[in-house]
Amino acid sequence: MKSAKAARKKAVERAAAKAARPRKRAPKPPARRAAKPALLAGGNPQIAKAEGDAPVRAYIAAMPGWKRDVGRRLDALIVRSVPGVRKAVKWNSPFYGVGGDGWFLNFHCFTHYVKVAFFRGTSLRPVPPGESTHREVRYLDIHEDEQLDEAQLAAWVEQASRLPGERL
């Protein structure tokens, strides 16, 4: 009996000694930088669906190469043309709308151009050049080193913002 009692006493002493020692903490993982968004087909940034200016800025910042400058110019032109414009990222594209009236345009990166979609484009004057399989949608494709007629684009943006928006 004495040996069992002694063994228990030793076990209790070891446990008490272990509990009294300072615990080692696991090392903290290194601080992670925000991961760059993945680029989908054609270099289109993959950005989570969200409302507001921040996700649109994140989309534009992730646009590759020359397309980033086009995105900045488009965003600035839209904001200047439509004070209080509503912004969101949906389906990996920036969308622009007015209040609760739906969306009037978006843009999207493709391999060799940035495509601006006017959801009620057939109602704009003059009608934007790119045709669509959707009855009312018209497109403007912006290619690298292409001179952009910002006055015409601003006129289309202003006109589009006054039309009923698309509910998406």
Side-chain angles (χ1 to χ4, degrees):
M1 283 269 178
K2 202 172 193 182
S3 65
K5 201 174 197 183
R8 271 197 301 264
K9 186 177 178 184
K10 282 277 194 195
V12 168
E13 288 172 357
R14 276 195 308 268
K18 185 176 180 182
R21 281 184 265 159
R23 289 185 178 183
K24 291 183 182 177
R25 291 188 178 186
K28 287 185 179 180
R32 290 193 295 165
R33 291 184 186 173
K36 282 189 174 183
L39 294 181
L40 303 171
N44 194 53
Q46 184 177 25
I47 301 292
K49 183 178 178 180
E51 296 263 344
D53 186 52
V56 172
R57 278 187 282 125
Y59 177 94
I60 292 168
M63 291 172 77
W66 63 270
K67 296 172 192 172
R68 184 176 310 117
D69 183 51
V70 169
R72 285 185 192 121
R73 289 173 60 198
L74 285 171
D75 185 69
L77 185 142
I78 295 165
V79 168
R80 271 193 321 270
S81 301
V82 185
V85 69
R86 182 173 149 221
K87 299 180 186 183
V89 171
K90 297 171 176 277
W91 302 287
N92 300 306
S93 295
F95 279 70
Y96 295 83
V98 178
D101 293 337
W103 307 103
F104 61 87
L105 75 79
N106 81 333
F107 61 87
H108 192 88
C109 287
F110 287 89
T111 303
H112 300 292
Y113 57 95
V114 174
K115 182 179 285 293
V116 180
F118 294 95
F119 300 130
R120 302 271 187 246
T122 56
S123 298
L124 305 179
R125 296 295 173 253
V127 175
E131 294 184 11
S132 172
T133 57
H134 300 281
R135 190 173 49 115
E136 293 185 74
V137 176
R138 295 295 286 207
Y139 298 115
L140 174 67
D141 295 343
I142 303 170
H143 295 85
E144 185 176 15
D145 298 327
E146 186 174 73
Q147 194 68 355
L148 183 61
D149 184 347
E150 289 196 18
Q152 180 60 69
L153 184 55
W156 281 331
V157 168
E158 289 170 9
Q159 290 176 55
S161 72
R162 291 190 301 263
L163 297 170
E166 192 66 36
R167 306 252 182 229
L168 301 171

